[in-house]
Amino acid sequence: LEIFVTILNVNDNSPVFKQTNLTEVVPEDTKVNATIVAREDLSASDADLDTIFYELTTIVPGTEGYFAIKGVNNPEMYLQKALDYEKFTSTTLVLYARDRPVDSTDTTNTATTTINIFIEQADTKSPWFLPCTFINTDNSICISSPYTGRVNISEMSTEPLILEPGPIYAIDPDYMLNEKIVYSIVGGDTDKVFSVDADTGNLTMNRVATSPDSYLLQVMATQVNNIQKYSVVSVEIKVINKSDHPPYFENRIYNGTVCVGLAPRSFVFQAGVPSSPLMITAADDDFPNV
């Protein structure tokens, strides 16, 4: 008597990952849709030969939506949204492998692997002149105001010029890299009256200014490692007549008279001369004819 015995496979094995913990370093400038972890490194095996269903979750708040897998049966992980080192520098993902669909009512065996992602800052931003003002909520764009200064006509200054709101200074906003920055004048100085120190940004004079016209210089800050990473700022230098005397009031005390109940913006009259408005005047010996 021949007896044929068929052994039925029972779902009694859980999926197994090659590694239960992975670490990946991802450059900040990685292109969207680029593969982060290959399929073969994230695929799970199952002794029951069941089809494996995958699900990727993010466990660090604020880092959702950046990474995804290709499909429910394809665990290849790719970059779904552009990275920004200023927003976060690391995150942790958990990949689930199940031998039944998520919504299945059958007994399901599950395995997990943890994926640690560390973001590596890339040289993505051009220099910022300081001080500057952020114009967006994530502080990724900072706009600087022009610098201003003044020199005396026909007078040579040997010291660095004093500017407002401060000296010429730029930084690399990719602060972990902090690339060296050099300065140069790229416009507005056809007579070569001024020069800027390449390392410090100090603005000095090469010769006297002989015209009362203002100079509107264009100063560029460039990263040494990449000349395409640059920014340009305006520097207005006003040429003025030399001032040796401070202004002064022509009288030490001014007396005026007003009436009770007078409407706002009404004139104040001189005390003792009710028909003449009170005038407060100052003079400057540098400008005797003004």
Side-chain angles (χ1 to χ4, degrees):
L1 177 64
E2 293 183 359
I3 300 175
F4 295 94
V5 178
T6 301
I7 301 175
L8 300 178
N9 192 13
V10 177
N11 185 22
D12 55 355
N13 293 284
S14 297
V16 177
F17 283 106
K18 295 178 182 178
Q19 303 177 66
T20 58
N21 198 297
L22 293 88
T23 298
E24 294 289 334
V25 177
V26 183
E28 179 187 10
D29 57 353
T30 299
K31 300 296 183 183
V32 173
N33 294 323
T35 297
I36 304 301
V37 185
R39 178 175 184 171
E40 54 268 23
D41 294 330
L42 291 178
S43 294
S45 59
D46 189 342
D48 297 319
L49 302 180
D50 291 320
T51 300
I52 305 297
F53 299 87
Y54 298 94
E55 180 186 10
L56 184 66
T57 62
T58 304
I59 62 176
V60 178
T63 63
E64 302 88 351
Y66 287 89
F67 300 94
I69 56 176
K70 290 289 187 178
V72 68
N73 300 122
N74 181 357
E76 178 182 326
M77 194 176 80
Y78 69 97
L79 184 65
Q80 186 171 240
K81 186 167 63 173
L83 297 170
D84 187 341
Y85 189 85
E86 277 68 38
K87 291 184 177 179
F88 67 96
T89 59
S90 63
T91 187
T92 301
L93 312 171
V94 175
L95 180 65
Y96 293 86
R98 301 182 177 90
D99 55 13
R100 295 291 185 272
V102 175
D103 56 356
S104 175
T105 58
D106 297 335
T107 300
T108 303
N109 297 307
T110 303
T112 62
T113 184
T114 301
I115 307 167
N116 302 295
I117 301 291
F118 294 94
I119 311 302
E120 181 180 64
Q121 188 168 37
D123 192 4
T124 60
K125 295 182 175 68
S126 297
W128 289 347
F129 282 99
L130 299 182
C132 63
T133 303
F134 292 109
I135 63 172
N136 57 345
T137 56
D138 59 1
N139 294 346
S140 61
I141 300 175
C142 202
I143 302 298
S144 61
S145 300
Y147 295 94
T148 59
R150 61 185 183 180
V151 296
N152 294 325
I153 192 168
S154 301
E155 182 174 300
M156 182 73 176
S157 174
T158 58
E159 298 295 327
L161 301 184
I162 297 175
L163 304 177
E164 294 293 339
I168 297 173
Y169 181 62
I171 62 168
D172 179 5
D174 297 311
Y175 56 89
M176 291 297 292
L177 303 178
N178 195 27
E179 298 291 350
K180 179 178 174 57
I181 292 172
V182 294
Y183 306 89
S184 60
I185 297 175
V186 295
D189 189 26
T190 55
D191 297 331
K192 305 300 180 184
V193 175
F194 303 95
S195 62
V196 64
D197 187 283
D199 295 319
T200 66
N202 285 336
L203 188 66
T204 55
M205 298 184 71
N206 297 322
R207 61 184 69 178
V208 298
T210 58
S211 170
D213 298 331
S214 296
Y215 291 86
L216 188 60
L217 310 178
Q218 301 295 313
V219 176
M220 181 171 68
T222 309
Q223 289 184 194
V224 172
N225 70 321
N226 185 354
I227 62 173
Q228 294 184 349
K229 291 289 190 301
Y230 69 91
S231 294
V232 177
V233 71
S234 296
V235 182
E236 183 182 13
I237 303 297
K238 296 180 180 180
V239 181
I240 62 173
N241 291 319
K242 185 176 180 180
S243 179
D244 293 319
H245 304 90
Y248 59 90
F249 288 104
E250 294 183 339
N251 296 315
R252 293 185 59 189
I253 299 175
Y254 292 85
N255 295 309
T257 301
V258 295
C259 297
V260 175
L262 199 64
R265 304 183 68 85
S266 297
F267 284 115
V268 176
F269 291 93
Q270 294 184 38
V273 189
S275 61
S276 298
L278 177 65
M279 298 183 65
I280 299 175
T281 57
D284 190 331
D285 291 339
D286 290 311
F287 305 95
N289 298 322
V290 177

